[in-house]
Amino acid sequence: MENEVVSKNFIENIIEKDIAEGRCEKVITRFPPEPNGYLHIGHAKSILLNYGLSKEYGGNFHFRFDDTNPTKEKTEFVDSIKADVQWLGADWGEDLFFASDYFEKMYECAIKLIKDQKAYVSDLTADEIREYRGTLTEPGKEDPYASRSVEENLKLFEDMKNGEFEDGSKVLRARIDMASSNINMRDPILYRVAHMTHHNTGDKWCIYPMYDFAHPIEDAIEGITHSICTLEFEDHRPLYDWVVINCGFKNTPEEAPKQIEFAKLYLTNVVTGKRYIKKLVEDGIVDGWDDPRLVSIAALRRRGYTPESIQKFVELCGVSKANSSVDYAMLEYCIREDLKMKVPRMMAVTRPLKVVIDNFPEGEVEYVEVDNNLENPELGKRKVPFTRELYIEQDDFMEEPPKKYFRMFPGNEVRLMNAYFVKCESFEKDENGNVTVVHCTYDPASKGGNSPDGRKVKGTIHWVSAEYGKRVTVRLYENLVDEEKGVYNPEDGSVNVNPNSLTVLEDAVVEPALTEGKAFDSYQFVRNGFFCVDCKDSKENAPVFNRIVSLKSSFKLPNA
């Protein structure tokens, strides 16, 4: 429609106002992760939001590592974060930066603040600084070292840089207002002494800037126009503007760079805290930060989620100023919607039970033609071997079925998908009373799954040739968290782990074509769910399949 009104979120409204009023010629956004862990689904929202805004307004997207804390940072995390951002489709082009590239400029900014009598060196310990800082209801007390002269502060700060002091013995603080109602403005620490080797700068520095000092300077140096972050930084915005203004990068809070806060993405019943995941890894409950039961981006990728499904999920979540939680089922809805038309629908039996068709010729193989995806004819067709001995799911046979059970039981006729009608005649059991073999007869006239005499059957089940099918490992995943107990145990803070979060089936049987699957290849296993070839544990012609998601969900979009 020509006059259709497109609804804008509040960030877009701010950007458009800045453009209209001449405060912004070219929109430049950034994603600034700290390389101290793996990214999770919440970071995906920030990545896609910042990248999307830069594209929407014809601007640039910067990808910058806020690597100001060498005690927790590793090259491993840098590499994993790069892979995640690239996988999500956020193209940073030539605009890859590191905060550590600006350490010299940050040092110069600190010198300027000292000369302007807006920063001083303090000898207070961390505990004393905390005590002097006051509380949310009581103002802070002046630092006894705040009266040092400019000359003394310059000398002490240079000695800090030159390694003359031990870790924790001295800090550089901003001189702002110890009585401020905003506790972040009570003479925050700008630099601390830390004799640590940095992953990027080595041993060049033994003082490192604090995040609240470094981050606004990085934004200013790079020309970021809109510094978009989550709501917990709202109380830090006055300090952000104080740093940028007093370091000489802008004159008023309305000028760029401008900090804007939005609500975090919270998923129900998931673990995102780094220390909790680290404990799960160390205790062997998960097999790494990319275990498919986690919601790190690496884990979602390994499980079989697609960039498009994450993009759709973020779009559905929207952008707001109000914190809220999103049901994990919505993420599952997005991957189902993305894959249902894209991937072939193959036959795989996860818990096999042998079926012998007694009147089918021994040693004979017949290839039945099957649509790869009935809803997407462009995916073509394939030939599947049909033989005298087959495997079906154990759940598709019952010796004494309840009412409305329409699958295989003695005397009942069912349809073998895309093949024939078969009638259950008898079965065999082992010494423990378990059914091991089901004997059937087939109707040769029902080829393709339809009877020429119009005979109807109510049950249709999938199958795999016992002779040509291939044994593979299948992993079935449920939520890592015990949803009835909640995520965390209130007594010790541990994660309430669902004991059934992983089921490994070593003897699943699949169509022969499925053994050709490569890492990250996805399929729908008919009647079982969507599955992906595991990228870590699969070997050539021996794939391991992770269940991405089951086929059914109670989740529905609002107004759907």
Side-chain angles (χ1 to χ4, degrees):
M1 291 176 61
E2 191 173 323
N3 298 319
E4 184 178 0
V5 177
V6 178
S7 177
K8 300 284 186 179
N9 64 51
F10 77 96
I11 297 178
E12 291 170 319
N13 291 333
I14 292 172
I15 291 174
E16 293 187 3
K17 185 171 184 287
D18 286 342
I19 293 171
E21 296 179 357
R23 285 192 290 269
C24 173
E25 292 183 5
K26 183 177 185 179
V27 172
I28 303 178
T29 61
R30 85 290 172 269
F31 174 64
E34 298 174 72
N36 59 5
Y38 285 71
L39 302 185
H40 57 67
I41 186 67
H43 294 110
K45 180 176 181 179
S46 181
I47 294 165
L48 294 172
L49 174 60
N50 279 284
Y51 179 68
L53 289 168
S54 72
K55 297 300 106 182
E56 180 181 353
Y57 294 102
N60 286 1
F61 169 72
H62 288 196
F63 178 25
R64 179 212 310 144
F65 287 96
D66 259 320
D67 55 344
T68 58
N69 185 3
T71 59
K72 297 181 179 180
E73 295 162 357
K74 295 180 182 177
T75 302
E76 170 195 352
F77 297 138
V78 171
D79 294 339
S80 73
I81 292 170
K82 280 183 181 178
D84 290 343
V85 175
Q86 188 172 43
W87 177 74
L88 281 171
D91 182 7
W92 61 84
E94 300 297 318
D95 295 319
L96 174 64
F97 304 99
F98 288 83
S100 52
D101 294 336
Y102 312 134
F103 280 174
E104 198 71 50
K105 182 63 178 177
M106 292 174 194
Y107 181 76
E108 292 172 8
C109 288
I111 295 293
K112 172 178 168 52
L113 292 177
I114 293 173
K115 288 180 176 180
D116 292 343
Q117 299 187 46
K118 293 177 180 177
Y120 60 91
V121 174
S122 173
D123 295 1
L124 293 181
T125 66
D127 288 340
E128 288 170 336
I129 289 174
R130 196 175 299 112
E131 179 186 343
Y132 273 64
R133 203 177 188 193
T135 66
L136 293 174
T137 56
E138 297 176 350
K141 297 182 295 183
E142 287 295 322
D143 188 314
Y145 301 98
S147 58
R148 279 173 166 159
S149 67
V150 170
E151 293 72 19
E152 186 179 3
N153 282 316
L154 288 172
K155 177 67 168 64
L156 287 170
F157 190 52
E158 183 178 7
D159 289 344
M160 286 170 62
K161 179 177 79 80
N162 292 336
E164 301 294 329
F165 303 113
E166 294 181 358
D167 292 4
S169 60
K170 282 179 170 49
V171 295
L172 181 70
R173 300 183 72 176
R175 182 184 280 107
I176 306 179
D177 181 6
M178 290 303 292
S180 173
S181 59
N182 185 337
I183 205 164
N184 295 294
M185 301 296 281
R186 296 180 189 172
D187 290 13
I189 298 173
L190 305 182
Y191 267 91
R192 78 282 198 194
V193 178
H195 291 81
M196 294 287 295
T197 299
H198 190 281
H199 75 95
N200 200 22
T201 60
D203 296 321
K204 180 179 180 180
W205 296 90
C206 61
I207 55 170
Y208 290 96
M210 302 299 289
Y211 179 87
D212 277 344
F213 178 63
H215 186 78
I217 293 174
E218 297 155 25
D219 283 349
I221 291 172
E222 292 178 17
I224 302 302
T225 56
H226 299 87
S227 182
I228 299 162
C229 56
T230 46
L231 276 180
E232 71 264 33
F233 291 101
E234 187 170 25
D235 290 340
H236 295 245
R237 194 197 315 157
L239 177 55
Y240 180 98
D241 288 329
W242 185 93
V243 170
V244 178
I245 290 170
N246 285 282
C247 288
F249 293 104
K250 69 177 184 179
N251 297 309
T252 69
E254 282 303 306
E255 296 175 39
K258 177 186 288 187
Q259 179 175 304
I260 306 170
E261 308 86 19
F262 70 98
K264 265 187 175 181
L265 172 55
Y266 291 100
L267 266 183
T268 56
N269 292 312
V270 299
V271 182
T272 55
K274 290 173 185 173
R275 67 185 180 95
Y276 295 105
I277 296 175
K278 185 172 183 287
K279 186 74 164 57
L280 291 171
V281 172
E282 290 171 349
D283 292 347
I285 294 170
V286 297
D287 71 3
W289 288 78
D290 63 349
D291 186 291
R293 289 166 289 179
L294 299 172
V295 290
S296 66
I297 296 175
L300 291 168
R301 181 166 68 247
R302 180 180 173 192
R303 182 155 174 175
Y305 278 80
T306 61
E308 294 81 4
S309 66
I310 306 294
Q311 291 161 11
K312 181 65 175 178
F313 175 66
V314 168
E315 179 187 327
L316 290 175
C317 289
V319 179
S320 74
K321 288 283 280 188
N323 282 324
S324 60
S325 294
V326 178
D327 194 328
Y328 188 86
M330 189 163 91
L331 180 59
E332 294 180 324
Y333 165 84
C334 291
I335 187 62
R336 287 190 191 94
E337 287 297 298
D338 185 55
L339 292 181
K340 69 180 183 181
M341 300 289 286
K342 284 183 178 179
V343 302
R345 299 176 182 179
M346 314 286 280
M347 292 193 288
V349 175
T350 58
R351 294 178 173 87
L353 172 63
K354 181 172 281 191
V355 170
V356 177
I357 304 174
D358 292 324
N359 62 334
F360 193 89
E362 285 192 53
E364 186 172 312
V365 57
E366 181 179 328
Y367 286 88
V368 298
E369 191 172 70
V370 178
D371 288 295
N372 284 326
N373 188 323
L374 278 170
E375 295 182 65
N376 185 359
E378 291 184 5
L379 290 182
K381 299 176 182 289
R382 69 185 186 281
K383 300 283 190 179
V384 179
F386 182 87
T387 52
R388 173 186 171 90
E389 294 188 358
L390 310 170
Y391 288 112
I392 65 169
E393 296 283 357
Q394 292 177 11
D395 290 347
D396 284 340
F397 173 83
M398 291 190 76
E399 182 180 354
E400 298 179 359
K403 288 183 178 180
K404 296 187 178 181
Y405 181 88
F406 300 120
R407 286 168 277 172
M408 193 175 285
F409 57 87
N412 191 44
E413 191 172 40
V414 300
R415 177 187 292 105
L416 293 180
M417 191 175 290
N418 300 299
Y420 294 98
F421 286 6
V422 295
K423 182 179 180 181
C424 177
E425 305 290 353
S426 62
F427 55 89
E428 301 173 24
K429 289 185 176 182
D430 62 18
E431 64 274 11
N432 297 316
N434 300 311
V435 176
T436 55
V437 181
V438 176
H439 289 271
C440 297
T441 54
Y442 85 117
D443 178 0
S446 63
K447 186 174 182 178
N450 295 294
S451 176
D453 61 9
R455 191 165 78 253
K456 303 290 184 183
V457 296
K458 291 185 176 180
T460 300
I461 62 178
H462 65 282
W463 51 274
V464 174
S465 164
E467 182 179 351
Y468 290 90
K470 304 295 183 181
R471 298 274 177 178
V472 298
T473 298
V474 167
R475 295 168 176 161
L476 305 179
Y477 294 105
E478 293 182 12
N479 199 325
L480 178 63
V481 171
D482 187 326
E483 296 183 26
E484 290 186 5
K485 295 180 180 177
V487 180
Y488 303 115
N489 185 332
E491 293 182 5
D492 59 7
S494 61
V495 175
N496 288 317
V497 175
N498 171 13
N500 301 313
S501 63
L502 171 62
T503 301
V504 180
L505 305 175
E506 302 283 2
D507 292 316
V509 184
V510 301
E511 291 183 37
L514 279 169
T515 60
E516 299 170 7
K518 301 293 187 287
F520 301 112
D521 284 352
S522 295
Y523 308 89
Q524 184 187 131
F525 288 1
V526 292
R527 301 174 63 228
N528 274 318
F530 291 97
F531 289 76
C532 172
V533 178
D534 187 79
C535 62
K536 284 178 71 171
D537 299 326
S538 298
K539 296 180 174 58
E540 188 172 357
N541 296 319
V544 174
F545 290 95
N546 299 328
R547 184 168 67 186
I548 309 169
V549 66
S550 61
L551 293 177
K552 294 182 180 180
S553 172
S554 58
F555 176 81
K556 293 194 183 302
L557 284 177
N559 304 320

